[in-house]
Amino acid sequence: SEKMVFSNHNLIHDASFNEFHLVICRNVLIYFDPQLQSKVLNLLSDSLRNGGYMALGKGENPRYMGNANQFKEVDSNEKIYKHKLNES
Amino acid sequence: MNPRRTVIVIGGSAGSMEPLIHLISNLEYNQMVDVALIVHRSNELGNMLGQLLNNYTVYKVMDAEHMEILSNGIYLAPTDYHLLVDENYRLHFDFSEKVHHSRPSIDVTLESFSYVFRENLIAVILSGSNEDGANGMSLVEQRGGKVFIQDEQSAKYSRMPLAALEMTVNTEGKDIKELTEEINLILKGNNYEAFKIKNIIGR
C-alpha cells in the first residue's frame, strides 16, 4: 500500500494531472448533462497515455456523449475503451 | 383528441414471461405509443431477452440506452440500473441503491414516468414475488394514469400483483387476455369509460 496514492480530484474543475495506463470511471457520467459528459470525457482522454484503457459503467456509451472518435471500443458489454492515437 | 403520446410501463418479475409475451404479442400497433419494460432478471441470462421478445411483437424491442429518446418502440430497462425519463422523452439510467431489492425497480420507473406523463400513462403490473411497483402504481393513479394488474388467480407469483392491488383504488386484478383487450381499447381511442360502465351493469 506504499505504492498507492489516494487523493481528491474534481472532475468538473480540475485539469488532468497524469497520463495513466487505465482510468476507471463507472456510473458517474450518467448523472451529468451532455455538455459536462463531453467535458469529462475529454479530461479522461487527456489523462490517458496513447493506447491507454478507459472503463465506464455498463450503461455508459461515449457514442451518446459526442466523444466517439477519441476512443476505440474494446468490449461493448463491459464498456471498455482504448484511447486512440490522433491521426493528423 | 389527445395529441400527446401514450406511454405504457410494464413491470414484471418471477413468472411474468408468459403474460408479458401475451401482452406484447397482442398489443395493437399504434405509432403514438411508447413502451418501457421493467423486468427483474439476472445479469447472465438477461442479455438475450430483448432479442427473444422481438420475435413476438410488431413493435421494435430494444435494450434501452442512457440518453436515448423514446420513439415508438418497446424499451427494455437495463439489468442493474434504474430507468427514468425526462420531459423531453429522454431515458436516463441511475445507479442508486436498490428499491425492494430491485434494480431496475418498477417503483422508480413508475414514479419518474407518472411525474412526466401523468394521465397519458398506462401502467401494468404482472406476476412477481416481491412488492416492487406497488407504491409506483399508487402514484400513477394519483396523477391520472390508468393502472392494470394481473389477477392473483392467473399470476404465477401473486405477491407483486396483490401488493399493487392493495395500494390502488377502484382496480381489480384481471387475467391477461382481458387486461390486454382493455389496453387495446384505450389505444384505439374508443370510449373507455363507456366500456367500463357497460361491464358493470352487465350489458
Side-chain angles (χ1 to χ4, degrees):
Chain A
S1 67
E2 298 100 32
K3 299 194 177 174
M4 294 177 75
V5 175
F6 289 90
S7 65
N8 278 334
H9 191 80
N10 189 316
L11 281 174
I12 301 173
H13 295 130
D14 296 341
S16 175
F17 63 95
N18 205 339
E19 281 186 359
F20 297 97
H21 295 85
L22 169 66
V23 171
I24 301 171
C25 184
R26 289 169 57 83
N27 298 322
V28 171
L29 292 175
I30 51 176
Y31 300 110
F32 292 166
D33 68 33
Q35 233 180 339
L36 197 48
Q37 282 176 352
S38 190
K39 186 175 178 218
V40 171
L41 277 175
N42 282 333
L43 171 65
L44 298 184
S45 177
D46 288 344
S47 304
L48 282 169
R49 304 165 71 99
N50 282 329
Y53 290 92
M54 172 181 75
L56 301 180
K58 270 202 77 184
E60 296 173 317
N61 192 332
R63 178 163 43 101
Y64 283 99
M65 304 175 191
N67 293 66
N69 55 359
Q70 293 177 21
F71 300 101
K72 178 181 156 195
E73 198 174 69
V74 169
D75 187 319
S76 69
N77 261 340
E78 296 300 326
K79 299 299 188 292
I80 299 175
Y81 299 87
K82 188 167 179 163
H83 184 253
K84 272 160 68 168
L85 287 150
N86 275 335
E87 276 113 37
S88 50
Chain B
M1 195 193 112
N2 189 346
R4 295 199 58 190
R5 303 182 67 73
T6 298
V7 179
I8 306 176
V9 172
I10 306 170
S13 186
S16 64
M17 269 307 110
E18 212 182 292
L20 173 61
I21 286 173
H22 178 94
L23 176 50
I24 65 172
S25 309
N26 292 290
L27 193 66
E28 292 215 357
Y29 179 69
N30 186 315
Q31 61 181 5
M32 294 294 283
V33 167
D34 304 303
V35 182
L37 186 47
I38 319 299
V39 176
H40 296 158
R41 51 186 170 131
S42 74
N43 251 311
E44 307 90 49
L45 306 171
N47 284 328
M48 298 277 98
L49 184 59
Q51 288 174 11
L52 168 73
L53 292 178
N54 220 352
N55 295 319
Y56 289 100
T57 173
V58 292
Y59 289 90
K60 192 169 169 217
V61 180
M62 294 160 280
D63 290 309
E65 297 224 32
H66 178 61
M67 300 302 267
E68 183 169 21
I69 296 190
L70 287 174
S71 56
N72 197 220
I74 296 180
Y75 296 83
L76 183 55
T79 53
D80 217 24
Y81 288 88
H82 294 304
L83 186 68
L84 298 92
V85 72
D86 66 27
E87 311 77 31
N88 299 313
Y89 289 82
R90 197 186 290 270
L91 295 170
H92 290 258
F93 288 0
D94 177 277
F95 199 64
S96 303
E97 65 274 8
K98 297 184 182 183
V99 172
H100 291 286
H101 313 290
S102 308
R103 185 173 57 217
S105 153
I106 304 165
D107 269 339
V108 173
T109 297
L110 288 178
E111 180 176 348
S112 170
F113 275 64
S114 67
Y115 180 80
V116 173
F117 299 117
R118 303 195 63 89
E119 70 277 3
N120 296 299
L121 182 64
I122 299 173
V124 183
I125 290 286
L126 303 173
S127 164
S129 49
N130 69 17
E131 300 191 347
D132 188 25
N135 289 324
M137 290 293 264
S138 172
L139 279 176
V140 173
E141 251 193 353
Q142 287 170 45
R143 290 166 174 168
K146 298 193 171 62
V147 295
F148 292 93
I149 301 166
Q150 190 180 9
D151 63 355
E152 70 168 304
Q153 290 80 21
S154 64
K156 193 162 173 206
Y157 296 89
S158 59
R159 185 165 176 212
M160 188 176 278
L162 283 174
L165 282 168
E166 193 103 341
M167 293 294 289
T168 51
V169 292
N170 297 331
T171 307
E172 20 153 64
K174 300 192 162 89
D175 76 64
I176 195 66
K177 286 203 178 80
E178 190 184 347
L179 197 153
T180 307
E181 275 171 24
E182 286 195 32
I183 292 177
N184 278 334
L185 278 176
I186 297 175
L187 297 188
K188 275 202 195 101
N190 280 6
N191 195 333
Y192 181 60
E193 293 306 315
F195 170 79
K196 276 205 301 194
I197 293 168
K198 234 171 39 167
N199 272 2
I200 291 168
I201 63 177
R203 267 164 271 268

